[in-house]
Amino acid sequence: MPISYSSPLTPAPLSIRSLWLSTLAMVSALALSSAAFFAPSHFLPWLAGIELVLLVHGMLNKGKISGVVRYIVLQLLFTMALYLAIHGGNKVSEGILAVARILLAIVPGWWLTNTVSTEAIGAILSKVMPTKWAFVVVASINLLPYMANEVREIYQLQRLRGARIAPKQLLNPRNWGEFSYCVIFPLLVQLLKLARQTAVAAKARHFGYHAKRTLWPSQRSEHDK
């Protein structure tokens, strides 16, 4: 008996209103993230006010801000150590401004992933880029929490092994090489392994088998109840 790859379940199409709102959110997030780097310094307080609203909205949608806070704190420590090592205490304010711009560039993307479904992002991206590229982007967004957990586990295991990568120890530039060797390189290996597993999973599910793109809704089907 030939195997059928079709499913009795029909995915619910996204409404036009939902697609337009998602498109507006994506364009707004891109514009705000770009403005964080290219806008003059005197516009940054206005930009921070807008993103504060996005931050509150994302948290009301149960978005977790702890990961962003940890990243910014580590980025601030790293940048301050770098500026102090190169310029002394003369240009610390420039380092703080650089970290502030990074934070303003991150918040819109964080808000987007917490308020817009990946189904809508995939549907929009597939209209402006090849479907396989859109799949890669959406899969990468979905895997961000997993990647964050991988970084946390690798870091904690290396700390238990005695690696000199504690926050205070990373203030010393001599320990940056150990951080790269103990955390960055293992993470790259894990990401390559994850990319391979994702490709195999997509192939096993016959991704690209049909010329017409298919999309599953985020709601649970009646078979899952």
Side-chain angles (χ1 to χ4, degrees):
M1 177 183 293
I3 299 176
S4 174
Y5 298 107
S6 61
S7 172
L9 300 176
T10 302
L14 296 169
S15 65
I16 299 298
R17 179 176 180 273
S18 177
L19 286 177
W20 274 109
L21 289 176
S22 300
T23 302
L24 179 61
M26 292 178 64
V27 172
S28 299
L30 179 61
L32 290 173
S33 295
S34 301
F37 290 111
F38 299 111
S41 299
H42 60 274
F43 283 131
L44 294 184
W46 295 95
L47 186 61
I50 296 173
E51 295 194 8
L52 181 61
V53 176
L54 300 184
L55 193 65
V56 173
H57 183 240
M59 294 177 67
L60 291 176
N61 281 272
K62 300 181 179 180
K64 296 182 179 180
I65 196 64
S66 57
V68 176
V69 173
R70 284 196 296 268
Y71 172 79
I72 289 300
V73 170
L74 291 175
Q75 183 67 43
L76 181 62
L77 292 175
F78 175 79
T79 304
M80 291 298 96
L82 191 62
Y83 268 77
L84 288 173
I86 297 177
H87 303 291
N90 298 327
K91 296 186 178 181
V92 173
S93 59
E94 293 184 7
I96 296 176
L97 179 61
V99 175
R101 287 182 179 273
I102 293 174
L103 174 61
L104 293 176
I106 290 176
V107 169
W110 171 86
W111 168 77
L112 181 67
T113 56
N114 283 285
T115 56
V116 179
S117 67
T118 53
E119 290 83 7
I121 294 176
I124 295 168
L125 291 179
S126 63
K127 297 181 181 299
V128 297
M129 63 174 60
T131 303
K132 292 183 178 181
W133 292 14
F135 168 76
V136 171
V137 173
V138 174
S140 300
I141 294 175
N142 284 332
L143 290 173
L144 283 177
Y146 174 81
M147 293 165 59
N149 289 332
E150 285 292 306
V151 173
R152 188 180 303 110
E153 290 179 1
I154 291 173
Y155 178 80
Q156 292 174 349
L157 288 173
Q158 296 293 8
R159 285 287 306 277
L160 292 174
R161 293 179 62 250
R164 298 186 298 272
I165 56 176
K168 291 183 179 180
Q169 293 170 328
L170 289 177
L171 294 176
N172 185 354
R174 295 180 180 179
N175 295 328
W176 295 351
E178 187 166 352
F179 179 80
S180 299
Y181 181 78
C182 294
V183 179
I184 301 300
F185 292 162
L187 177 62
L188 291 177
V189 173
Q190 286 295 100
L191 291 180
L192 291 174
K193 180 180 178 181
L194 180 61
R196 176 61 179 173
Q197 291 174 344
T198 303
V200 172
K203 185 177 181 180
R205 289 162 176 76
H206 294 271
F207 177 75
Y209 181 82
H210 297 284
K212 184 179 180 180
R213 176 182 58 82
T214 57
L215 184 67
W216 290 106
S218 58
Q219 293 82 6
R220 297 177 61 187
S221 68
E222 58 182 1
H223 292 261
D224 296 329
K225 296 180 180 179

